[in-house]
C-alpha cells in the first residue's frame, strides 16, 4: 500500500519547488521590465499570488529571488556519488576519474535544473537591465565555489584550501560557465554533455602538454651577460 506520509512529503516538496520557481521567474520578468528598484516585494508577491511572509520563507531579499541560489540546490545523491568516486584517495594526489566524474556531476545537475532556455534568457535580460546585480551574482558564484571546494576536498581527502582543490574548482567553474552559455544559446542543438565535454577536452589538450613550472622565476641569461658593476674608484 502507498505510504500516505511519504506521498504528502513528496507533494509538499513539489509545491515548494514550484512556488520557488514561480517567485524567481516573476522576479526576473519584473527586473527585466522595470529594473530592481522598479517594483517592490509586495508587488512581486501579488503577481505570484503569495504573502510577503511566504516570500521571505524562500528568499532573504529581492535580489536573491532574481538570481536564485544554486549552492542550495545541490542534489545530495549526485554529490554523494561524486564523493564516492574518489574512494581510496589518500590525499597524495588527484584521483584518475576526477575529470569524468566532474562531468557526470555537472550533467546530472543540469538535467535536473528547472531552468529552461527561455528562463535563462530571462535571467540574462534581468542582469542586463540592472548591472549592479552582477556583483550579487559574483557573490553567489563564490558561495557555489566554496560548496564545490568542500565536496572536492571530501572526495580527494584533501584540505578545502589545498591549491589543487582550488585550481580544480576554478578551472571546472570556468568550463561549466562557458558550456552553459553555449548550451542555453537559442541556436544550439547539441546536448549539454556534448557541449561540456568539448570544453573539457580543449582544456585537457592545453594542460596535458605542460610541465610543472618552478615556483620562483629563474634568470635565463648566462652569468656573463648580467649587468656589471660600473662604479669606479675615485
Amino acid at each position: 500500500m502507498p505510504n500516505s506520509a511519504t506521498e504528502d512529503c513528496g507533494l509538499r516538496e513539489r509545491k515548494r519547488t514550484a512556488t520557488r520557481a514561480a517567485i524567481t521567474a516573476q522576479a526576473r520578468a519584473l527586473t527585466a521590465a522595470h529594473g530592481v528598484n522598479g517594483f517592490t516585494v509586495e508587488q512581486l508577491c501579488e503577481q505570484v499570488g503569495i504573502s510577503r511572509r511566504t516570500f521571505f520563507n524562500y528568499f532573504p531579499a529581492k535580489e536573491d529571488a532574481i538570481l536564485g541560489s544554486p549552492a542550495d540546490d545541490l542534489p545530495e545523491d549526485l554529490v554523494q556519488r561524486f564523493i564516492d568516486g574518489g574512494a581510496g584517495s589518500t590525499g597524495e594526489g588527484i584521483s584518475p576519474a576526477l575529470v569524468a566524474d566532474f562531468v557526470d556531476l555537472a550533467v546530472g545537475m543540469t538535467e535536473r535544473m528547472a531552468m529552461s532556455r527561455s528562463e535563462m534568457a530571462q535571467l540574462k535580460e534581468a542582469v542586463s537591465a540592472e548591472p549592479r546585480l552582477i556583483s550579487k551574482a559574483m557573490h553567489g558564484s563564490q558561495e557555489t565555489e566554496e560548496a564545490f571546494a568542500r565536496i572536492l576536498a571530501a572526495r580527494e581527502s584533501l584540505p578545502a584550501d589545498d591549491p589543487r582543490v582550488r585550481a580544480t574548482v576554478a578551472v571546472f567553474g570556468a568550463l561549466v560557465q562557458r558550456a552553459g552559455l553555449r548550451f542555453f544559446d537559442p541556436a544550439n542543438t547539441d546536448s549539454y554533455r556534448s557541449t561540456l565535454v568539448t570544453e573539457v577536452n580543449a582544456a585537457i589538450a592545453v594542460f596535458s602538454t605542460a610541465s610543472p613550472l618552478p615556483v620562483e622565476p629563474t634568470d635565463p641569461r648566462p652569468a656573463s651577460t648580467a649587468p656589471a658593476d660600473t662604479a669606479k674608484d675615485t
Side-chain angles (χ1 to χ4, degrees):
M1 293 179 61
N3 188 320
S4 59
T6 301
E7 290 179 351
D8 289 345
C9 182
L11 178 59
R12 285 196 299 271
E13 185 58 33
R14 287 194 297 273
K15 290 179 65 176
R16 180 175 177 81
T17 299
T19 301
R20 184 183 183 93
I23 294 170
T24 295
Q26 191 59 50
R28 290 173 181 172
L30 289 171
T31 303
H34 307 292
V36 172
N37 296 325
F39 65 98
T40 64
V41 169
E42 288 76 10
Q43 290 170 325
L44 171 58
C45 292
E46 184 178 352
Q47 292 288 325
V48 180
I50 60 173
S51 68
R52 178 184 172 90
R53 179 177 179 180
T54 298
F55 172 87
F56 287 109
N57 284 338
Y58 286 89
F59 297 101
K62 185 166 53 175
E63 291 81 0
D64 297 283
I66 297 165
L67 295 171
S69 303
D72 295 337
D73 300 319
L74 298 175
E76 292 184 8
D77 59 325
L78 295 182
V79 170
Q80 191 59 53
R81 187 187 309 166
F82 174 75
I83 293 174
D84 291 345
S89 295
T90 61
E92 298 178 358
I94 299 298
S95 55
L98 174 62
V99 173
D101 288 351
F102 229 135
V103 168
D104 286 343
L105 175 61
V107 171
M109 290 179 60
T110 301
E111 289 176 347
R112 296 190 188 185
M113 190 169 58
M115 186 180 292
S116 65
R117 281 185 169 86
S118 61
E119 289 169 332
M120 176 64 81
Q122 193 177 53
L123 175 57
K124 290 179 182 178
E125 289 178 4
V127 173
S128 297
E130 195 63 50
R132 73 184 176 90
L133 281 176
I134 295 176
S135 61
K136 181 76 174 178
M138 291 303 295
H139 179 67
S141 297
Q142 183 177 356
E143 290 177 350
T144 304
E145 183 175 320
E146 292 298 325
F148 275 110
R150 291 191 295 271
I151 292 168
L152 179 57
R155 172 196 166 97
E156 301 297 329
S157 301
L158 293 169
D161 61 352
D162 187 285
R164 291 166 293 182
V165 170
R166 292 296 170 174
T168 301
V169 172
V171 170
F172 266 97
L175 295 175
V176 167
Q177 184 178 44
R178 282 182 52 81
L181 291 173
R182 286 181 52 203
F183 175 68
F184 283 106
D185 188 308
N188 174 61
T189 58
D190 294 331
S191 69
Y192 180 72
R193 177 177 289 276
S194 173
T195 305
L196 178 57
V197 167
T198 297
E199 298 290 345
V200 170
N201 285 341
I204 291 173
V206 171
F207 289 108
S208 62
T209 61
S211 299
L213 302 176
V215 176
E216 295 294 337
T218 57
D219 191 340
R221 297 173 299 176
S224 60
T225 64
D229 186 355
T230 57
K232 297 180 180 180
D233 293 334
T234 56

XYZ file of all heavy atoms in Angstrom, residues 137-232:
713
model
N 25.598 38.474 -8.227
C 25.747 37.179 -8.889
C 27.129 36.602 -8.636
O 27.294 35.393 -8.434
C 25.499 37.321 -10.389
N 28.160 37.460 -8.644
C 29.521 37.002 -8.392
C 29.648 36.472 -6.977
O 30.346 35.494 -6.714
C 30.509 38.133 -8.626
C 30.648 38.542 -10.083
S 31.126 37.157 -11.146
C 32.766 36.807 -10.508
N 28.951 37.116 -6.023
C 28.978 36.623 -4.643
C 28.335 35.244 -4.569
O 28.833 34.347 -3.889
C 28.254 37.599 -3.721
C 28.208 37.149 -2.290
N 29.336 37.055 -1.516
C 27.174 36.749 -1.506
C 29.010 36.622 -0.307
N 27.700 36.434 -0.279
N 27.232 35.086 -5.311
C 26.595 33.780 -5.359
C 27.516 32.735 -5.955
O 27.577 31.597 -5.497
N 28.287 33.109 -6.987
C 29.233 32.189 -7.590
C 30.309 31.795 -6.594
O 30.775 30.663 -6.577
C 29.873 32.839 -8.824
O 28.894 33.103 -9.803
N 30.718 32.738 -5.750
C 31.723 32.447 -4.744
C 31.185 31.433 -3.736
O 31.906 30.523 -3.314
C 32.151 33.729 -4.024
C 33.266 33.517 -3.006
C 33.721 34.814 -2.358
O 33.256 35.891 -2.715
N 34.613 34.701 -1.406
N 29.916 31.585 -3.352
C 29.307 30.626 -2.432
C 29.282 29.234 -3.062
O 29.554 28.226 -2.392
C 27.897 31.077 -2.080
C 27.837 32.326 -1.208
C 26.413 32.764 -0.954
O 25.500 32.211 -1.599
O 26.214 33.643 -0.117
N 28.947 29.180 -4.351
C 28.921 27.900 -5.049
C 30.310 27.304 -5.120
O 30.500 26.092 -4.937
C 28.349 28.087 -6.468
O 27.061 28.700 -6.381
C 28.217 26.754 -7.176
N 31.318 28.148 -5.391
C 32.701 27.672 -5.459
C 33.136 27.080 -4.128
O 33.809 26.042 -4.089
C 33.622 28.832 -5.850
C 35.078 28.424 -6.024
C 35.935 29.561 -6.536
O 35.465 30.304 -7.418
O 37.079 29.694 -6.059
N 32.754 27.734 -3.027
C 33.112 27.223 -1.711
C 32.444 25.868 -1.462
O 33.054 24.953 -0.880
C 32.705 28.220 -0.624
C 33.489 29.519 -0.632
C 34.967 29.300 -0.388
O 35.316 28.389 0.398
O 35.775 30.027 -0.991
N 31.199 25.732 -1.901
C 30.489 24.467 -1.720
C 31.183 23.348 -2.488
O 31.385 22.240 -1.971
C 29.036 24.612 -2.180
N 31.575 23.625 -3.733
C 32.246 22.613 -4.537
C 33.641 22.301 -3.993
O 34.113 21.167 -4.102
C 32.331 23.053 -5.999
C 31.092 22.726 -6.780
C 30.244 23.722 -7.213
C 30.771 21.415 -7.082
C 29.094 23.425 -7.927
C 29.625 21.099 -7.789
C 28.781 22.106 -8.211
N 34.309 23.293 -3.424
C 35.625 23.049 -2.833
C 35.505 22.058 -1.680
O 36.344 21.146 -1.523
C 36.242 24.357 -2.353
N 34.475 22.211 -0.860
C 34.278 21.281 0.252
C 33.964 19.871 -0.256
O 34.451 18.872 0.298
C 33.149 21.783 1.158
C 33.488 23.060 1.935
C 32.454 23.345 3.003
N 31.147 23.650 2.438
C 30.747 24.875 2.099
N 31.553 25.903 2.261
N 29.529 25.078 1.614
N 33.156 19.799 -1.309
C 32.800 18.491 -1.870
C 34.033 17.809 -2.459
O 34.278 16.619 -2.233
C 31.712 18.664 -2.953
C 30.401 19.123 -2.321
C 31.510 17.370 -3.730
C 29.371 19.591 -3.335
N 34.812 18.561 -3.224
C 36.010 18.007 -3.849
C 37.035 17.590 -2.792
O 37.684 16.541 -2.914
C 36.623 19.033 -4.803
C 37.899 18.621 -5.534
C 37.677 17.346 -6.333
C 38.368 19.748 -6.451
N 37.175 18.393 -1.743
C 38.107 18.071 -0.669
C 37.709 16.765 0.014
O 38.568 15.923 0.337
C 38.152 19.215 0.342
N 36.405 16.571 0.221
C 35.929 15.331 0.836
C 36.225 14.137 -0.065
O 36.612 13.064 0.407
C 34.425 15.428 1.105
N 36.068 14.322 -1.362
C 36.320 13.234 -2.309
C 37.787 12.840 -2.334
O 38.132 11.655 -2.346
C 35.881 13.665 -3.714
C 36.269 12.671 -4.812
C 36.174 13.299 -6.187
N 36.840 12.490 -7.184
C 36.240 11.607 -7.987
N 34.948 11.423 -7.903
N 36.926 10.909 -8.860
N 38.664 13.842 -2.365
C 40.093 13.592 -2.567
C 40.893 13.524 -1.271
O 42.124 13.421 -1.303
C 40.684 14.676 -3.477
C 40.033 14.761 -4.843
C 40.230 13.488 -5.661
O 41.271 12.824 -5.488
O 39.352 13.147 -6.480
N 40.215 13.593 -0.123
C 40.878 13.549 1.186
C 41.951 14.628 1.294
O 43.083 14.381 1.726
C 41.504 12.159 1.426
O 40.530 11.151 1.371
N 41.580 15.839 0.885
C 42.482 16.991 0.916
C 41.828 18.131 1.682
O 40.596 18.195 1.768
C 42.797 17.464 -0.515
C 43.620 16.534 -1.397
C 43.588 17.034 -2.839
C 45.061 16.458 -0.896
N 42.615 19.048 2.224
C 42.024 20.242 2.838
C 41.311 21.081 1.785
O 41.724 21.117 0.616
C 43.240 20.988 3.411
C 44.343 19.977 3.467
C 44.086 19.018 2.362
N 40.257 21.777 2.183
C 39.489 22.582 1.218
C 40.312 23.723 0.641
O 39.996 24.228 -0.437
C 38.229 23.125 1.887
N 41.362 24.155 1.361
C 42.191 25.247 0.850
C 43.439 24.748 0.125
O 44.330 25.531 -0.195
C 42.585 26.195 1.981
C 43.398 25.494 3.078
O 43.522 24.238 3.020
O 43.901 26.187 3.984
N 43.521 23.445 -0.136
C 44.656 22.908 -0.893
C 44.679 23.540 -2.290
O 43.632 23.646 -2.938
C 44.518 21.384 -1.023
C 45.734 20.734 -1.656
O 45.896 20.864 -2.898
O 46.512 20.106 -0.924
N 45.846 23.981 -2.772
C 45.911 24.632 -4.092
C 45.346 23.777 -5.225
O 44.781 24.305 -6.179
C 47.415 24.884 -4.283
C 47.965 24.960 -2.905
C 47.163 23.996 -2.090
N 45.480 22.451 -5.120
C 44.947 21.573 -6.166
C 43.420 21.591 -6.183
O 42.800 21.543 -7.247
C 45.463 20.151 -5.967
C 46.948 19.981 -6.239
C 47.469 18.665 -5.716
N 47.426 18.623 -4.243
C 47.857 17.583 -3.532
N 48.350 16.522 -4.136
N 47.791 17.612 -2.207
N 42.841 21.648 -4.993
C 41.380 21.742 -4.904
C 40.902 23.053 -5.505
O 39.968 23.093 -6.315
C 40.923 21.623 -3.436
C 39.439 21.960 -3.300
C 41.198 20.224 -2.897
N 41.531 24.150 -5.120
C 41.113 25.470 -5.595
C 41.300 25.592 -7.105
O 40.444 26.168 -7.805
C 41.913 26.557 -4.869
C 41.583 26.662 -3.395
C 40.138 27.081 -3.203
N 39.715 26.977 -1.820
C 38.530 27.388 -1.392
N 37.647 27.907 -2.224
N 38.202 27.263 -0.118
N 42.420 25.067 -7.626
C 42.661 25.148 -9.069
C 41.624 24.324 -9.839
O 41.093 24.762 -10.870
C 44.073 24.651 -9.392
N 41.302 23.136 -9.321
C 40.313 22.282 -9.987
C 38.948 22.949 -10.033
O 38.279 22.966 -11.077
C 40.207 20.927 -9.259
O 41.475 20.283 -9.262
C 39.195 20.026 -9.946
N 38.529 23.508 -8.906
C 37.223 24.165 -8.840
C 37.186 25.383 -9.764
O 36.195 25.612 -10.465
C 36.895 24.576 -7.396
C 35.640 25.441 -7.345
C 36.703 23.340 -6.526
N 38.270 26.161 -9.788
C 38.303 27.355 -10.638
C 38.234 26.988 -12.107
O 37.478 27.594 -12.888
C 39.570 28.158 -10.349
N 39.016 25.980 -12.513
C 39.037 25.572 -13.931
C 37.688 25.001 -14.342
O 37.125 25.373 -15.376
C 40.163 24.557 -14.186
C 40.036 23.955 -15.588
C 41.530 25.230 -14.042
N 37.149 24.087 -13.529
C 35.858 23.494 -13.887
C 34.742 24.526 -13.845
O 33.809 24.470 -14.658
C 35.540 22.316 -12.968
C 35.965 20.998 -13.532
C 37.162 20.422 -13.160
C 35.179 20.349 -14.471
C 37.566 19.212 -13.683
C 35.573 19.146 -15.015
C 36.775 18.558 -14.617
N 34.829 25.469 -12.910
C 33.823 26.524 -12.875
C 33.800 27.320 -14.166
O 32.734 27.631 -14.714
N 34.987 27.647 -14.673
C 35.070 28.399 -15.929
C 34.554 27.573 -17.103
O 33.838 28.089 -17.979
C 36.519 28.826 -16.181
N 34.885 26.280 -17.127
C 34.439 25.418 -18.227
C 32.923 25.224 -18.192
O 32.258 25.245 -19.244
C 35.138 24.062 -18.139
C 36.651 24.075 -18.343
C 37.229 22.681 -18.106
C 37.009 24.565 -19.740
N 32.371 25.050 -17.000
C 30.918 24.896 -16.867
C 30.199 26.173 -17.287
O 29.147 26.125 -17.943
C 30.558 24.513 -15.412
C 29.064 24.667 -15.157
C 30.993 23.080 -15.130
N 30.775 27.314 -16.933
C 30.164 28.586 -17.327
C 30.156 28.741 -18.846
O 29.142 29.124 -19.439
C 30.913 29.748 -16.686
C 30.276 31.114 -16.965
C 31.021 32.228 -16.264
O 32.251 32.266 -16.267
N 30.293 33.151 -15.669
N 31.279 28.434 -19.481
C 31.353 28.526 -20.946
C 30.375 27.554 -21.603
O 29.673 27.906 -22.551
C 32.778 28.238 -21.422
C 33.746 29.393 -21.262
C 35.115 29.038 -21.813
N 35.045 28.533 -23.173
C 34.949 29.297 -24.255
N 34.889 30.606 -24.126
N 34.897 28.760 -25.454
N 30.331 26.338 -21.071
C 29.424 25.343 -21.649
C 27.969 25.764 -21.473
O 27.142 25.573 -22.375
C 29.669 23.981 -20.996
N 27.654 26.362 -20.316
C 26.284 26.813 -20.074
C 25.850 27.896 -21.039
O 24.732 27.870 -21.572
N 26.745 28.848 -21.290
C 26.414 29.922 -22.226
C 26.163 29.362 -23.621
O 25.247 29.797 -24.329
C 27.548 30.945 -22.261
C 27.726 31.793 -20.996
C 28.980 32.654 -21.095
C 26.502 32.666 -20.753
N 26.975 28.388 -24.018
C 26.792 27.787 -25.349
C 25.520 26.935 -25.395
O 24.753 26.983 -26.360
C 28.000 26.921 -25.693
C 29.263 27.692 -26.065
C 30.392 26.742 -26.419
N 29.975 25.767 -27.413
C 30.562 24.587 -27.593
N 31.582 24.231 -26.828
N 30.135 23.760 -28.524
N 25.289 26.167 -24.330
C 24.146 25.258 -24.324
C 22.825 26.010 -24.347
O 21.876 25.613 -25.036
C 24.216 24.362 -23.089
C 23.021 23.461 -22.936
C 22.789 22.425 -23.822
C 22.122 23.647 -21.892
C 21.682 21.592 -23.686
C 21.025 22.824 -21.747
C 20.806 21.795 -22.641
N 22.736 27.106 -23.584
C 21.487 27.842 -23.492
C 21.293 28.849 -24.621
O 20.296 29.570 -24.649
C 21.375 28.548 -22.141
C 21.019 27.617 -21.019
C 21.969 27.233 -20.091
C 19.739 27.106 -20.909
C 21.649 26.373 -19.063
C 19.405 26.239 -19.891
C 20.365 25.870 -18.957
N 22.224 28.899 -25.543
C 22.033 29.730 -26.728
C 20.844 29.169 -27.514
O 20.785 27.966 -27.783
C 23.300 29.694 -27.591
C 23.233 30.683 -28.746
O 22.234 30.646 -29.498
O 24.164 31.475 -28.909
N 19.884 30.027 -27.881
C 18.696 29.528 -28.590
C 19.020 28.773 -29.874
O 18.247 27.912 -30.307
C 17.914 30.818 -28.899
C 18.346 31.784 -27.851
C 19.794 31.466 -27.579
N 20.179 29.059 -30.489
C 20.540 28.403 -31.741
C 21.214 27.055 -31.525
O 21.422 26.296 -32.481
C 21.465 29.308 -32.557
N 21.529 26.723 -30.271
C 22.256 25.483 -30.005
C 21.356 24.260 -30.132
O 20.209 24.270 -29.696
C 22.850 25.508 -28.593
C 23.481 24.182 -28.218
O 24.421 23.748 -28.868
N 22.954 23.540 -27.191
N 21.892 23.190 -30.727
C 21.146 21.933 -30.858
C 21.884 20.761 -30.196
O 21.395 19.644 -30.211
C 20.892 21.597 -32.334
O 22.158 21.516 -33.028
C 20.022 22.658 -33.003
N 23.074 21.028 -29.632
C 23.859 19.961 -29.014
C 23.381 19.694 -27.585
O 22.831 20.575 -26.925
C 25.340 20.342 -28.973
C 25.949 20.453 -30.361
O 25.464 19.741 -31.265
O 26.895 21.239 -30.541
N 23.613 18.492 -27.099
C 23.292 18.160 -25.715
C 24.253 18.878 -24.780
O 25.346 19.304 -25.181
C 23.404 16.651 -25.491
O 24.767 16.241 -25.570
N 23.854 18.984 -23.506
C 24.735 19.649 -22.547
C 26.013 18.839 -22.360
O 27.102 19.400 -22.252
C 24.040 19.843 -21.206
C 24.935 20.523 -20.198
C 25.253 21.873 -20.316
C 25.495 19.809 -19.143
C 26.096 22.502 -19.415
C 26.336 20.432 -18.232
C 26.631 21.777 -18.387
O 27.484 22.385 -17.484
N 25.898 17.513 -22.308
C 27.096 16.691 -22.151
C 28.078 16.922 -23.292
O 29.276 17.108 -23.066
C 26.732 15.201 -22.078
C 27.967 14.289 -21.980
C 27.566 12.833 -21.836
N 27.001 12.555 -20.534
C 27.727 12.278 -19.455
N 29.045 12.265 -19.526
N 27.130 12.030 -18.317
N 27.567 16.924 -24.514
C 28.439 17.155 -25.673
C 29.103 18.525 -25.587
O 30.302 18.672 -25.859
C 27.624 17.045 -26.967
O 28.404 17.427 -28.089
N 28.334 19.527 -25.192
C 28.870 20.882 -25.090
C 29.951 20.970 -24.024
O 31.019 21.553 -24.241
C 27.735 21.868 -24.763
O 26.698 21.742 -25.749
C 28.236 23.305 -24.761
N 29.686 20.393 -22.853
C 30.658 20.453 -21.757
C 31.905 19.640 -22.076
O 33.032 20.096 -21.811
C 30.016 19.950 -20.465
C 30.925 19.919 -19.232
C 31.499 21.307 -18.939
C 30.173 19.387 -18.021
N 31.731 18.443 -22.632
C 32.888 17.598 -22.951
C 33.801 18.286 -23.959
O 35.031 18.183 -23.868
C 32.422 16.228 -23.472
C 33.575 15.461 -24.116
C 31.828 15.406 -22.334
N 33.236 19.019 -24.909
C 34.055 19.763 -25.871
C 34.939 20.774 -25.154
O 36.135 20.908 -25.455
C 33.162 20.487 -26.892
O 32.423 19.510 -27.635
C 33.998 21.322 -27.863
N 34.367 21.488 -24.189
C 35.137 22.471 -23.419
C 36.211 21.783 -22.572
O 37.360 22.247 -22.496
C 34.200 23.287 -22.522
C 33.167 24.112 -23.253
C 33.783 25.285 -24.006
O 34.954 25.629 -23.741
O 33.091 25.850 -24.863
N 35.844 20.683 -21.921
C 36.789 19.967 -21.060
C 37.945 19.408 -21.886
O 39.118 19.511 -21.493
C 36.068 18.848 -20.295
C 37.069 17.933 -19.597
C 35.098 19.433 -19.281
N 37.647 18.814 -23.033
C 38.705 18.242 -23.871
C 39.659 19.311 -24.386
O 40.861 19.057 -24.540
C 38.097 17.471 -25.045
C 37.525 16.130 -24.617
O 37.869 15.612 -23.543
N 36.677 15.554 -25.442
N 39.149 20.504 -24.645
C 40.022 21.602 -25.073
C 41.002 21.963 -23.956
O 42.191 22.199 -24.202
C 39.186 22.816 -25.468
N 40.504 21.996 -22.714
C 41.386 22.296 -21.581
C 42.412 21.189 -21.379
O 43.587 21.453 -21.095
C 40.548 22.488 -20.316
N 41.990 19.936 -21.530
C 42.927 18.814 -21.400
C 44.036 18.920 -22.436
O 45.219 18.695 -22.142
C 42.176 17.478 -21.542
C 41.274 17.250 -20.325
C 43.158 16.311 -21.702
C 40.373 16.033 -20.447
N 43.660 19.289 -23.668
C 44.658 19.407 -24.733
C 45.698 20.474 -24.409
O 46.877 20.336 -24.752
C 43.969 19.733 -26.058
N 45.271 21.529 -23.740
C 46.202 22.606 -23.385
C 47.110 22.199 -22.231
O 48.334 22.313 -22.305
C 45.427 23.890 -23.022
C 46.367 24.946 -22.451
C 44.714 24.437 -24.249
N 46.519 21.694 -21.143
C 47.283 21.458 -19.926
C 48.080 20.164 -19.944
O 49.075 20.041 -19.226
C 46.359 21.477 -18.710
C 45.847 22.841 -18.372
C 44.521 23.185 -18.597
C 46.690 23.805 -17.838
C 44.050 24.449 -18.299
C 46.225 25.075 -17.530
C 44.904 25.394 -17.761
N 47.660 19.176 -20.745
C 48.343 17.884 -20.715
C 49.745 17.946 -21.287
O 50.570 17.056 -21.036
C 47.523 16.837 -21.485
O 47.405 17.213 -22.848
N 50.060 18.969 -22.066
C 51.397 19.083 -22.656
C 52.349 19.896 -21.783
O 53.539 19.996 -22.104
C 51.316 19.755 -24.038
O 50.760 21.078 -23.890
C 50.437 18.947 -24.982
N 51.853 20.486 -20.712
C 52.674 21.373 -19.895
C 53.458 20.588 -18.847
O 53.021 19.538 -18.372
C 51.796 22.417 -19.213
N 54.630 21.119 -18.501
C 55.441 20.570 -17.418
C 55.324 21.494 -16.210
O 55.058 22.687 -16.362
C 56.906 20.473 -17.849
O 57.039 19.610 -18.969
N 55.536 20.968 -15.012
C 55.472 21.835 -13.825
C 56.451 22.997 -13.924
O 57.572 22.844 -14.417
C 55.847 20.882 -12.685
C 55.493 19.525 -13.190
C 55.777 19.550 -14.660
N 56.026 24.150 -13.464
C 56.862 25.345 -13.511
C 57.554 25.551 -12.169
O 57.026 25.159 -11.126
C 55.993 26.567 -13.832
C 55.203 26.518 -15.137
C 54.331 27.761 -15.255
C 56.133 26.419 -16.337
N 58.717 26.180 -12.188
C 59.361 26.494 -10.906
C 58.566 27.545 -10.154
O 57.944 28.414 -10.766
C 60.737 27.031 -11.335
C 60.524 27.540 -12.735
C 59.507 26.618 -13.347
N 58.566 27.445 -8.849
C 57.828 28.412 -8.044
C 58.418 29.801 -8.187
O 57.700 30.793 -8.307
C 57.821 27.987 -6.557
C 57.132 29.049 -5.699
C 57.113 26.649 -6.389
N 59.753 29.881 -8.197
C 60.436 31.156 -8.357
C 61.005 31.250 -9.773
O 61.583 30.279 -10.269
C 61.572 31.307 -7.339
C 61.104 31.361 -5.898
C 60.286 32.599 -5.593
O 60.439 33.600 -6.333
O 59.483 32.570 -4.649
N 60.846 32.397 -10.444
C 61.402 32.539 -11.790
C 62.918 32.518 -11.742
O 63.538 32.957 -10.781
C 60.874 33.911 -12.247
C 60.629 34.655 -10.975
C 60.186 33.628 -9.974
N 63.513 31.970 -12.790
C 64.975 31.949 -12.892
C 65.414 32.891 -13.989
O 64.703 33.100 -14.975
C 65.473 30.533 -13.211
O 64.848 30.079 -14.425
C 65.118 29.567 -12.081
N 66.625 33.482 -13.850
C 67.162 34.390 -14.856
C 67.766 33.566 -15.978
O 68.727 32.820 -15.760
C 68.237 35.278 -14.227
C 68.643 36.427 -15.151
O 68.400 36.323 -16.360
O 69.191 37.420 -14.641
N 67.165 33.611 -17.199
C 67.645 32.750 -18.283
C 68.977 33.203 -18.864
O 69.575 32.496 -19.660
C 66.522 32.868 -19.327
C 65.965 34.239 -19.107
C 66.070 34.475 -17.619
N 69.448 34.378 -18.493
C 70.674 34.881 -19.094
C 71.899 34.241 -18.460
O 71.929 34.029 -17.254
C 70.759 36.394 -18.921
C 69.660 37.169 -19.609
C 69.724 38.648 -19.243
N 69.540 38.830 -17.789
C 69.621 40.013 -17.200
N 69.927 41.093 -17.893
N 69.435 40.120 -15.897
N 72.934 33.946 -19.257
C 74.195 33.464 -18.680
C 74.749 34.505 -17.718
O 74.480 35.702 -17.857
C 75.105 33.285 -19.897
C 74.177 33.200 -21.062
C 72.995 34.046 -20.707
N 75.558 34.065 -16.775
C 76.100 34.984 -15.777
C 76.911 36.098 -16.412
O 76.930 37.231 -15.936
C 76.970 34.210 -14.783
N 77.577 35.781 -17.558
C 78.437 36.771 -18.200
C 77.661 37.936 -18.779
O 78.220 38.991 -19.050
C 79.273 36.111 -19.307
O 78.409 35.560 -20.282
N 76.338 37.746 -19.011
C 75.544 38.810 -19.617
C 74.813 39.636 -18.581
O 74.114 40.577 -18.924
C 74.500 38.232 -20.593
O 73.586 37.434 -19.857
C 75.160 37.386 -21.671
N 74.946 39.256 -17.304
C 74.264 40.018 -16.261
C 74.888 41.398 -16.164
O 76.071 41.592 -16.458
C 74.378 39.293 -14.921
N 74.118 42.413 -15.778
C 74.652 43.777 -15.689
C 75.862 43.823 -14.776
O 75.867 43.242 -13.694
C 73.477 44.575 -15.099
C 72.270 43.780 -15.442
C 72.702 42.340 -15.414
N 76.905 44.480 -15.243
C 78.136 44.573 -14.463
C 78.094 45.794 -13.579
O 77.385 46.770 -13.843
C 79.350 44.647 -15.415
N 78.897 45.782 -12.509
C 79.007 46.913 -11.612
C 79.911 47.948 -12.289
O 81.100 47.700 -12.497
C 79.587 46.468 -10.296
C 79.601 47.595 -9.260
O 79.236 48.713 -9.626
O 79.992 47.312 -8.103
N 79.316 49.044 -12.688
C 80.068 50.053 -13.449
C 80.670 51.122 -12.571
O 81.263 52.085 -13.071
C 79.150 50.723 -14.477
O 78.039 51.298 -13.812
C 78.655 49.709 -15.494
N 80.497 50.973 -11.256
C 81.055 52.001 -10.368
C 82.554 51.955 -10.428
O 83.180 50.894 -10.494
C 80.566 51.767 -8.942
N 83.194 53.098 -10.432
C 84.646 53.214 -10.483
C 85.163 53.872 -9.220
O 84.519 54.718 -8.648
C 85.080 54.035 -11.701
C 84.698 53.356 -13.013
C 85.160 54.212 -14.196
C 84.792 53.574 -15.517
N 85.238 54.381 -16.655
